[in-house]
Amino acid sequence: MGIVIENEIWEPKPSLYVFLFFSSFLSIFILPYFSNNPNRSSPSPDLPGGTLSSLTKSSFLRFQRSFLLLYSLASVIQGLQSVFGEFEYAYYGVSRDEMVVTLCIGSVAAILIGTFLGMISDIIGQKKVCVLFGMLHIFVGIWKKFTMHPSAWIVSICTALASSVFSFSFETWTVTEHDKLGHRQDLLSETFWLMAFFESVSLIGSQMIGNFLVDMDPKNGTGFPSAAIAFLAFVCIIYIAREWKESSRTAGYGDYKVAFSAVILGDKRIWLLSCAQACIHFSIAIFWLLWAPTIVADGREVNLGLIYPCLLGARMLGSTAVPWFLSSGPSPVRTEDCLIAAFIIAGLTLSIVAFDYQEIGVLVTLFCLFHSCVGLILPSLARLRITYVPNQLRGGMISLSLAPANAAVLFVLIQGGYSRNLENSTIIAFAALGLFVAAFCMHMLKRSGKQPYQNWHDL
């Protein structure tokens, strides 16, 4: 009598979804009852400039909600553009080596062009660059609707540039407009963690939208999501044009170059902050490249589509921890201390993954822990940029700090993906090492940085 071996497809337990999302919303709802400053009526000692504004709280809330709506829409567009990943390339007959070459071309575009987009946006204004973000997605959506192969490299270039704009322009816009409208500086911390929270929610929503659109017309493949991307990008441009009243820039290229060289390139504290930003960007990029191959190693069957929202749910939960540790009221925890701990924990989780392949449940737990740290790290780094980076140089500083990370990703794609000289475990170990380097940078920043209650607004 023969033995029949049934392959079981691994899926996360429903209780994991309930725990992540319930914990996230519980963290938000009970925060005001435990906050040291629930009314947010006093200046922040950690982020000064928090004097009472002549504008009402309702004015700030209108501004914040308007921006978060725009940012959530942009996040949905970003999610729809990347949610299918390698499946989309395989659907159009792109081979593995061609996929790697396409990703390399995108990384090159991010290095050669994306690095300077932040500086350009500081000179011409964030509004025009955010409109460019929408136009790139419109072009990609229309292009993918009608053709994909053999011109996938065009999509890769446009997507890489749009991602570069997304990484700095919206944050720079909200900081600049927030300051121009006279709102208190300490309220930006709330906006930052809400950005991380709503971005995760939007990415989960984009997965649901993408699956729904594909199910509506399976024969059309990813054509329906491509049309949705173009439509949402057009809506994003209209929203920016109607709601965004940006003042014209007066500083020229010469003045900007002098200020950038003196403030950004001449301050070792900003170099440390930039290094930490590059390390986390590199680690996140490596994670999304290798998380699926790591889980399905040795031929294991896994429903990756159900794990994806768990990872983003963990990131949501991590972002809700920001106001607990770094509230706008009196807090004994400095941002640098919080970041040191988060970087070390994230580095340890990737180190365990790189050391040996684990059971799927253990891997998913480690991945969720990593993303919880990411949800805490990104808003905290944005908070530190308030202290060290002037608004008019913020976009250039962020885009320049991502250049080394993009170069490292390109190296990994060539050596690991194309030439196959690096094992996946070695690449993940590099990502873990980068996180430990970022923790060291935060330690050095704490030792040589400004006092906790001082920032460039007071100089």
Side-chain angles (χ1 to χ4, degrees), residues 107-255:
S107 296
V108 171
I111 296 170
L112 298 181
I113 304 176
T115 301
F116 304 100
L117 285 177
M119 305 175 192
I120 295 173
S121 68
D122 287 336
I123 297 174
I124 68 174
Q126 304 300 326
K127 179 176 182 178
K128 296 178 181 178
V129 178
C130 284
V131 170
L132 174 64
F133 167 84
M135 294 176 62
L136 287 170
H137 279 296
I138 290 176
F139 175 79
V140 170
I142 295 175
W143 186 272
K144 289 167 64 174
K145 175 67 176 178
F146 296 102
T147 182
M148 181 68 181
H149 184 71
S151 301
W153 59 273
I154 297 179
V155 173
S156 181
I157 291 175
C158 294
T159 303
L161 295 181
S163 298
S164 297
V165 173
F166 182 81
S167 65
F168 66 82
S169 193
F170 289 96
E171 177 189 319
T172 306
W173 170 65
T174 187
V175 172
T176 303
E177 292 297 299
H178 182 102
D179 191 57
K180 185 180 71 175
L181 294 173
H183 298 307
R184 286 175 14 209
Q185 288 295 316
D186 60 299
L187 294 177
L188 275 171
S189 297
E190 179 179 315
T191 303
F192 289 147
W193 77 261
L194 285 174
M195 286 173 62
F197 181 85
F198 280 104
E199 181 183 356
S200 301
V201 174
S202 300
L203 292 176
I204 295 174
S206 67
Q207 182 193 30
M208 298 173 59
I209 295 172
N211 291 333
F212 173 76
L213 294 175
V214 169
D215 291 339
M216 285 182 61
D217 190 2
K219 295 182 180 180
N220 199 27
T222 58
F224 260 17
S226 298
I229 290 171
F231 172 76
L232 292 176
F234 180 75
V235 173
C236 184
I237 293 176
I238 296 299
Y239 187 88
I240 292 173
R242 289 177 58 90
E243 299 295 331
W244 196 335
K245 309 300 180 183
E246 185 178 52
S247 58
S248 59
R249 299 280 173 161
T250 57
Y253 170 76
D255 295 335

Side-chain angles (χ1 to χ4, degrees), residues 11 41 84 114 135 166 211 215 234 248 266 277 288 304 428 437:
E11 296 179 356
S41 57
F84 296 104
M135 294 176 62
F166 182 81
N211 291 333
D215 291 339
F234 180 75
S248 59
Q277 180 68 42
W288 287 118
L304 297 176
I428 296 176
V437 170

Side-chain angles (χ1 to χ4, degrees), residues 59 62 109 111 210 234 454:
S59 175
R62 284 196 301 269
I111 296 170
F234 180 75
Q454 178 189 8

Side-chain angles (χ1 to χ4, degrees), residues 21-75:
F21 294 106
F22 178 77
S23 299
S24 298
F25 287 102
L26 183 64
S27 175
I28 295 173
F29 290 144
I30 67 175
L31 174 63
Y33 298 100
F34 292 89
S35 174
N36 291 327
N37 188 14
N39 295 324
R40 306 181 187 274
S41 57
S42 61
S44 168
D46 192 43
L47 290 174
T51 56
L52 292 176
S53 172
S54 58
L55 298 176
T56 62
K57 184 178 180 180
S58 61
S59 175
F60 165 73
L61 291 177
R62 284 196 301 269
F63 165 75
Q64 185 186 66
R65 291 166 182 170
S66 178
F67 168 75
L68 289 175
L69 177 61
L70 173 62
Y71 187 74
S72 298
L73 178 60
S75 299

Side-chain angles (χ1 to χ4, degrees), residues 13 18 23 88 93 101 110 113 165 173 176 193 238 248 254 268 274 276 278 352 368 373 408 420:
K13 296 181 179 180
V18 176
S23 299
E88 186 173 16
V101 172
I113 304 176
V165 173
W173 170 65
T176 303
W193 77 261
I238 296 299
S248 59
K268 67 176 183 179
S274 299
I352 296 173
C368 287
C373 294
R420 304 185 184 183

